[in-house]
Amino acid sequence: MTEPKDLYSCLAKTAGRYPEETSFVTDDKRLSWAEVLSAVDGAADLFWQLGLRKGDRAAIVLRNSPEFIIAYFAMVKIGAVAVPINFLISKAEEISYILENSACKGVVTEKEFVKTYAAVKKKLPDLFLVSADPCGLDGVTEFWPALKGARASQQTLENAAAAHDVATILYTSGTTGHPKGVLLTHHNMIENARAAMHTLEPTKKDVFMALLPMFHTFSWTGNVITPVLLGSKTLIVKNITPPKPWLQAMGREGVSILIAVPQIFGVLAKEARGLKKFFLRFWSLRRVRLCLSGAAPLNHTISQHFHKAFGLHILEGYGLTETSPVVTIVPPKARRHGSVGKAVRGVTIKIVDEHGNHLGHGEEGEICVRGPNITRGYHGNDDATKELFTQDGWLKTGDIG
């Protein structure tokens, strides 16, 4: 049987295999795979009614939630492009730049942020606004009531995405100038998730936790696409602070794979004293079998303290938004601190000097990467795209290795 080539088909396949099993869990919701697929289909019909078409872009400005996942998969079902935006961006000029640069037709947001986007809409009057929760503002469509009234459209099926169609544009904030929109295809993200799975060997029985924000590709590939491919359950954490609710939920749901950044591992290790250590080790982390750290270098002291407190090794990986994001991962049996591991399946790495010449083992230079996970470039920015690649098509990371 051939593997699905686009994200919606991956979800549909899993929902077909495990319709009544739990997919995503929050504090107040438990959704089966069938319920998620039904909501995605309804949202796709809603977006179609709002004028979204194949190749069009729409933004998602939400905290981690089932609505984030449903909106994203609904957009890509009809061949549209999801543009997740960091909800912490509040300056109108930054928001306007992203929406205008990507030519977004609409925004799916929530009550906490909707007024900011309603103000931006005055400058972009054709923008549709959808709120995931009741907000009481005129001209804003409320997500769940609208889903119930959405008319099923055959056209949403006829506009399905192909493997190499762009699925998302992710805006990375540079140190200078405007953020650049990284183009990632369905193929980029699916293949990267499968490659990471090949190294880490998660199973359907594993339980994931979406703790890091879903607008970040590390969280999206690791905590959403991977469990969608496996049919695993994911605990969705809306707010990292306060930590007590999700630490309680970790134990309740039996989270077995913890994907986080060094800071979170550091805090957990620091808090592991007295009764708190007992609670963390024998409740929150009682089922955790695999810890993966990324997005920043992992301090050796944090790694040591975490292992001492919980008996768990933290594996490191390396990647960029432009690589969907995983380039390397330390295999679970290796456990080498200070290493970010080996290239995942299908990915090749080379080290070059300032003139682009290939360097030998032990020589220091720029890390260059190629593989099925590599972006095709930056949206509407040919100059930056040209700068991103070597003449023979390798992606230049800008990192030294």
Side-chain angles (χ1 to χ4, degrees), residues 139-151:
V140 178
T141 302
E142 290 188 7
F143 187 72
W144 289 106
L147 247 62
K148 290 173 186 171
R151 295 186 307 276

Side-chain angles (χ1 to χ4, degrees), residues 13-22 32-34 204 229-231:
K13 179 183 177 182
T14 294
R17 290 177 73 182
Y18 315 112
E20 302 308 316
E21 294 190 27
T22 303
S32 69
W33 287 107
K204 184 186 173 300
L229 293 173
L230 288 166

Side-chain angles (χ1 to χ4, degrees), residues 32-238:
S32 69
W33 287 107
E35 287 171 324
V36 170
L37 186 66
S38 175
V40 166
D41 290 339
D45 293 328
L46 169 63
F47 293 143
W48 188 267
Q49 283 173 220
L50 290 169
L52 203 63
R53 297 292 181 266
K54 187 167 186 173
D56 287 345
R57 274 78 67 187
I60 300 173
V61 189
L62 293 168
R63 291 185 180 274
N64 289 0
S65 59
E67 290 83 359
F68 191 122
I69 296 163
I70 291 162
Y72 190 112
F73 278 85
M75 288 172 190
V76 300
K77 179 191 176 181
I78 58 175
V81 178
V83 184
I85 298 176
N86 183 340
F87 52 74
L88 296 174
I89 298 173
S90 57
K91 289 182 181 175
E93 58 269 27
E94 286 185 55
I95 293 167
S96 295
Y97 175 78
I98 293 171
L99 295 176
E100 289 182 278
N101 180 259
S102 59
C104 275
K105 283 200 166 182
V107 179
V108 181
T109 186
E110 58 190 289
K111 188 177 179 181
E112 186 180 352
F113 316 115
V114 72
K115 285 185 179 175
T116 302
Y117 283 81
V120 170
K121 181 176 162 64
K122 290 173 184 174
K123 187 182 172 187
L124 303 166
D126 294 333
L127 205 66
F128 68 74
L129 289 182
V130 176
S131 179
D133 46 7
C135 67
L137 287 182
D138 289 339
V140 178
T141 302
E142 290 188 7
F143 187 72
W144 289 106
L147 247 62
K148 290 173 186 171
R151 295 186 307 276
S153 171
Q154 182 61 28
Q155 289 166 304
T156 61
L157 291 171
E158 292 165 2
N159 285 270
H164 294 283
D165 286 348
V166 173
T168 191
I169 304 175
L170 299 169
Y171 279 83
T172 60
S173 51
T175 47
T176 57
H178 289 299
K180 297 192 285 281
V182 178
L183 300 163
L184 296 179
T185 66
H186 292 256
H187 181 73
N188 287 152
M189 291 185 283
I190 293 168
E191 286 306 308
N192 196 231
R194 286 179 179 148
M197 286 162 61
H198 180 75
T199 300
L200 296 172
E201 298 181 338
T203 72
K204 184 186 173 300
K205 291 180 181 176
D206 278 309
V207 179
F208 292 76
M209 179 169 69
L211 181 63
L212 304 177
M214 290 177 184
F215 62 73
H216 195 294
T217 184
F218 182 40
S219 183
W220 185 253
T221 298
N223 294 318
V224 180
I225 297 178
T226 301
V228 163
L229 293 173
L230 288 166
S232 303
K233 178 174 74 174
T234 299
L235 169 65
I236 297 174
V237 178
K238 187 164 185 151

